[in-house]
Amino acid sequence: MRAKSKAQDFAQAVKDATQVLRFEHWLRFYYLKDKDGKLVYEIPEEMQTRVREQHPNLQGLVDVLHNEETDQERSTTTVCAFVAARLDGQAHPEGVMAAVFDSPAFKIEMYLFSLWNQSHEGLLDQEERDFSEWERLFAEWRQSEQVKAYEAKLVLSPGQKGSGATQ
């Protein structure tokens, strides 16, 4: 059996980090509520159970955020701390997450997720969808020829340093 290459390991680290950020965005999309002028995560027990069953690797983030007040700074700090605790030095070699966050591959993936989220907001808002459904819908969109072509242009754009986008 062939060992993973460094590029494959890095690609997996990008995939893992972007999943955490997509998950936190999903939590904000459906469960961030205004309570007396403060933003608080209110995640129903049924959804917590579903996350525990379907995405045990992300349950810790639910545990940290549920019933907690947040703002942009706290959200960023919490997600970064979660990635550092669960991925950096655990699932991936220590220090790799800093490289991931600075990589063109990560930036492109998050940019594409943002485009998908903006263009599908109406659909996502029609009914509450669990995170697995978000992941499925996003993956299908990412596989479209139009998105693949756009991604290829992004990878080759002058600011991305060509193939460096895939590390």
Side-chain angles (χ1 to χ4, degrees):
M1 184 172 185
R2 198 183 94 160
K4 281 187 184 178
S5 71
K6 188 175 179 179
Q8 289 171 316
D9 288 341
F10 191 83
Q12 184 62 51
V14 169
K15 182 178 176 184
D16 292 347
T18 57
Q19 182 190 44
V20 171
L21 272 74
R22 288 191 309 270
F23 181 73
E24 191 276 336
H25 187 86
W26 170 77
L27 288 171
R28 275 189 284 130
F29 192 87
Y30 290 119
Y31 306 116
L32 198 57
K33 309 296 180 194
D34 188 330
K35 293 286 185 180
D36 301 320
K38 297 177 182 176
L39 297 173
V40 178
Y41 291 94
E42 290 185 354
I43 307 157
E45 186 60 42
E46 175 187 322
M47 195 53 69
Q48 290 182 53
T49 299
R50 194 173 296 167
V51 168
R52 214 173 358 266
E53 292 169 354
Q54 297 177 359
H55 304 283
N57 60 314
L58 300 171
Q59 179 61 40
L61 195 53
V62 171
D63 296 340
V64 170
L65 295 175
H66 181 57
N67 288 328
E68 290 297 318
E69 181 183 341
T70 195
D71 56 28
Q72 184 62 43
E73 184 179 335
R74 286 183 204 165
S75 175
T76 300
T77 300
T78 300
V79 168
C80 288
F82 182 83
V83 167
R86 302 293 176 101
L87 299 178
D88 202 38
Q90 302 297 319
H92 302 285
E94 192 168 331
V96 79
M97 286 298 134
V100 163
F101 285 134
D102 286 337
S103 73
F106 175 82
K107 292 172 185 172
I108 288 171
E109 189 65 18
M110 292 312 301
Y111 175 71
L112 291 173
F113 174 70
S114 178
L115 285 178
W116 172 81
N117 188 262
Q118 289 173 15
S119 65
H120 290 77
E121 189 171 353
L123 172 72
L124 299 171
D125 219 9
Q126 286 175 0
E127 64 181 80
E128 186 177 315
R129 298 167 190 278
D130 67 17
F131 185 63
S132 293
E133 180 72 1
W134 267 47
E135 290 287 84
R136 184 187 67 74
L137 291 169
F138 179 62
E140 287 175 359
W141 179 81
R142 286 284 281 113
Q143 292 305 309
S144 74
E145 291 304 317
Q146 184 180 10
V147 173
K148 285 181 179 181
Y150 185 61
E151 179 183 17
K153 288 178 185 176
L154 291 173
V155 168
L156 295 175
S157 69
Q160 299 303 330
K161 298 179 184 167
S163 64
T166 58
Q167 284 291 328

